[in-house]
Amino acid sequence: DQQVKQNSPSLSVQEGRISILNCDYTNSMFDYFLWYKKYPAEGPTFLISISSIKDKNEDGRFTVFLNKSAKHLSLHIVPSQPGDSAVYFCAAAANFGNEKLTFGTGTRLTIIP
Amino acid sequence: DTAVSQTPKYLVTQMGNDKSIKCEQNLGHDTMYWYKQDSKKFLKIMFSYNNKELIINETVPNRFSPKSPDKAHLNLHINSLELGDSAVYFCASSHLGTLYTQYFGPGTRLTVL
């Protein structure tokens, strides 16, 4: 049962434009959401997170939006840079403090110079 | 300085063999994790240890046995390897209660022939 879904396996965006990565979840118990970034031959690295009491969290060029009613979140990267080319994983947890993260299958983002 | 390290990086072995993957973290974290990323790119948690005590144990065959000799190490032993065990295994660590700061190792690619 895939509780966290990233339906776009890949995305290509022109450098300088906005990249939008999407994630849907089915478990209504999830209340904390994270985005991880992964380069080849490396482990995932934490990028940005949001709790269910918020609908937006911003950190520099990265903004995560949460729509609880739609069980949907998205990551916006503005402006996109070549170094942003990587696989992005969405993850979710139920009950903040619960250490178990449920991951999506990732979206490969390619920034075209 | 490597924060979370895993050895070996690549492991190729025959079906039926027993193998171990080692993980060490030098971040002073009290919680460590093992994740499995299968061929469909699902990243799923297998185990988690806090201060050498098992706190998460997902539905994993009992051929997989984690061992935590101290807070800085969490090793994964796999007995009677099967073809389906082929995957990338990631170790991670964090402070308990701060799951958004899980730091991942570079992964160990296990291939069972």
Side-chain angles (χ1 to χ4, degrees):
Chain A
D1 179 27
Q2 196 177 339
Q3 299 184 62
V4 178
K5 300 177 186 179
Q6 294 175 256
N7 292 319
S8 298
S10 63
L11 176 68
S12 294
V13 175
Q14 207 75 33
E15 182 179 358
R17 306 293 285 266
I18 183 171
S19 295
I20 300 176
L21 296 99
N22 294 305
C23 177
D24 297 294
Y25 62 96
T26 57
N27 188 341
S28 56
M29 297 299 291
F30 287 146
D31 58 4
Y32 199 75
F33 304 89
L34 308 89
W35 284 93
Y36 278 80
K37 177 179 180 179
K38 183 183 179 305
Y39 291 119
E42 294 183 12
T45 53
F46 170 73
L47 194 56
I48 193 170
S49 64
I50 189 168
S51 83
S52 58
I53 62 172
K54 294 185 173 182
D55 53 21
K56 176 182 174 181
N57 189 26
E58 196 170 349
D59 183 3
R61 297 186 297 114
F62 302 91
T63 303
V64 56
F65 294 92
L66 175 62
N67 182 333
K68 285 185 298 249
S69 60
K71 293 192 178 67
H72 176 83
L73 64 156
S74 60
L75 174 68
H76 292 212
I77 307 173
V78 182
S80 301
Q81 299 174 354
D84 296 330
S85 294
V87 177
Y88 290 78
F89 289 95
C90 171
N95 305 319
F96 181 76
N98 182 337
E99 307 307 307
K100 179 181 170 184
L101 290 177
T102 301
F103 282 84
T105 50
T107 296
R108 181 177 300 278
L109 175 65
T110 302
I111 305 303
I112 305 164
Chain B
D1 279 347
T2 305
V4 182
S5 60
Q6 297 178 225
T7 53
K9 195 167 176 65
Y10 299 96
L11 184 54
V12 180
T13 187
Q14 299 286 331
M15 241 176 19
N17 284 351
D18 303 337
K19 290 293 179 186
S20 294
I21 306 172
K22 296 186 177 182
C23 178
E24 176 180 3
Q25 55 96 2
N26 61 6
L27 298 166
H29 289 159
D30 55 14
T31 305
M32 296 184 72
Y33 314 77
W34 277 109
Y35 286 85
K36 177 182 179 181
Q37 186 179 34
D38 60 22
S39 57
K40 295 182 180 178
K41 305 302 181 188
F42 275 109
L43 191 62
K44 291 188 70 173
I45 191 164
M46 302 172 69
F47 303 101
S48 175
Y49 270 73
N50 173 255
N51 286 321
K52 304 198 302 179
E53 188 175 327
L54 185 66
I55 57 171
I56 295 176
N57 185 357
E58 290 296 290
T59 307
V60 175
N62 57 15
R63 298 182 296 102
F64 290 78
S65 54
K67 287 187 170 53
S68 182
D70 55 57
K71 281 196 312 182
H73 296 84
L74 180 63
N75 303 323
L76 184 65
H77 301 272
I78 315 171
N79 296 324
S80 302
L81 278 156
E82 300 177 357
L83 294 176
D85 298 332
S86 295
V88 181
Y89 292 84
F90 289 98
C91 176
S93 72
S94 72
H95 284 299
L96 188 68
T98 61
L99 59 83
Y100 49 85
T101 55
Q102 283 190 26
Y103 288 80
F104 283 78
T108 296
R109 181 174 293 277
L110 171 65
T111 303
V112 182
L113 303 175

